[in-house]
């Protein structure tokens, strides 16, 4: 069974490959599957956007399982912004050093307990039989006072996880995958796919 992951984000793809490595399936990026489409993510929730992406790519490769993740950072002090607009926040091509510095500045008057934030990931799976499965994962943290760490991608340098006393950019890939929103959502999806594979064989 082929599993195509509907993302062009190299950072995400690296995490996903690690987490799905033990599935008995060939995991391909869209590029590796020869699919080059731009999907308009016009949903207003992570779930809507994940389903939109999974279905759009599935239409190009109906025999495969197509997985898509929609994820983002919710900052409570900013009314849960950037949320579903995380990739597009301040412009898609704006470097994350600038986006991250802007978020830190916006929280300059926030009290410690007002700095709470979370990463959210919803994974959608479009199956060859037309069904769509979804799972969700979150990780709670706070917005750091300054960016730290070189790992991960996107908002990782400013997402502080009290449990590790570090930002997610300071964790190893293994540590991040073990606790991250995407890791949790993907492991939940792996469990759902295992049931689906059993149904196919049964
Ligand atoms: P999507 O590709 O439309 O789902 O956008 C996800 C965006 O949310 C990314 O481009 C990042 O800005 C942010 N994001 C999601 N997951 C993470 C993560 O694990 N670390 C840092 N930023 C993330």
């Amino acid at each position: 069974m082929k599993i195509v992951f509907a993302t062009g984000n190299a950072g995400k793809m690296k995490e996903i490959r690690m987490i799905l490595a033990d599935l008995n399936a060939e995991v391909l990026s869209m590029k590796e599957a020869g699919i080059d489409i731009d999907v308009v993510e016009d949903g207003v929730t992570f779930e809507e956007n994940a389903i939109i992406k999974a279905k759009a790519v599935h239409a190009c490769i109906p025999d495969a399982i197509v997985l898509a993740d929609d994820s983002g950072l919710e900052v409570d002090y900013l009314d849960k912004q950037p949320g579903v607009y995380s990739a597009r926040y301040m412009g898609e091509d704006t470097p994350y050093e600038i986006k991250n510095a802007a978020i830190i500045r916006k929280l300059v008057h926030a009290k410690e307990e007002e700095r709470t934030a979370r990463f959210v990931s919803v994974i959608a799976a479009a199956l060859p039989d037309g069904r769509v499965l979804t799972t969700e994962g979150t990780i709670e943290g706070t917005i750091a006072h300054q960016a730290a760490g070189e790992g991960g991608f996107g908002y990782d340098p400013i997402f502080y996880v009290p449990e590790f006393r570090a930002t997610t950019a300071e964790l190893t890939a293994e540590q991040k995958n073990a606790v991250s929103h995407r890791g949790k959502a993907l492991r939940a999806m792996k469990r759902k796919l295992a049931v689906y594979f059993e149904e196919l064989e049964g």
Side-chain angles (χ1 to χ4, degrees):
M1 180 65 82
K2 265 188 192 160
I3 299 185
V4 177
F5 211 102
T7 185
N9 181 322
K12 276 189 189 177
M13 203 60 217
K14 194 175 155 212
E15 294 181 1
I16 288 156
R17 277 192 208 286
M18 283 179 71
I19 297 166
L20 296 184
D22 58 343
L23 262 188
N24 191 16
E26 194 185 354
V27 181
L28 303 172
S29 66
M30 268 168 60
K31 202 172 163 193
E32 287 162 347
I35 300 166
D36 182 17
I37 57 165
D38 257 334
V39 183
V40 181
E41 295 175 33
D42 52 5
V44 293
T45 63
F46 293 114
E47 184 173 26
E48 278 175 14
N49 279 336
I51 293 174
I52 288 169
K53 280 189 262 187
K55 283 187 168 173
V57 174
H58 192 252
C60 305
I61 186 159
D63 293 339
I65 294 175
V66 175
L67 296 184
D69 140 288
D70 199 58
S71 52
L73 174 68
E74 292 183 346
V75 181
D76 291 327
Y77 192 72
L78 304 179
D79 294 326
K80 299 201 174 177
Q81 291 298 315
V84 287
Y85 303 103
S86 290
R88 291 163 277 174
Y89 187 61
M90 298 177 70
E92 188 110 30
D93 297 327
T94 304
Y96 276 92
E97 293 78 51
I98 293 177
K99 299 192 196 200
N100 288 338
I103 291 179
I104 288 176
R105 264 199 313 278
K106 285 188 179 188
L107 267 67
V108 77
H109 297 302
K111 298 186 190 116
E112 263 328 289
E113 64 271 23
E114 290 176 327
R115 302 185 72 89
T116 51
R118 72 202 52 76
F119 278 129
V120 181
S121 162
V122 173
I123 307 275
L127 306 181
D129 64 11
R131 278 187 296 155
V132 176
L133 311 174
T134 59
T135 57
E136 181 175 323
T138 59
I139 175 172
E140 298 288 334
T142 62
I143 297 302
H145 289 271
Q146 53 196 30
E150 306 290 327
F153 64 98
Y155 299 101
D156 280 325
I158 61 164
F159 189 80
Y160 182 82
V161 188
E163 180 191 344
F164 285 100
R165 294 173 181 245
T167 68
T168 39
E170 294 178 293
L171 302 182
T172 63
E174 287 79 8
Q175 283 173 324
K176 183 181 170 192
N177 284 340
V179 294
S180 79
H181 50 316
R182 194 168 303 99
K184 289 174 187 162
L186 266 175
R187 285 189 290 275
M189 182 53 79
K190 265 169 52 170
R191 292 192 287 275
K192 285 197 178 182
L193 287 179
V195 172
Y196 168 68
F197 288 142
E198 273 167 26
E199 280 170 15
L200 279 185
E201 281 163 17

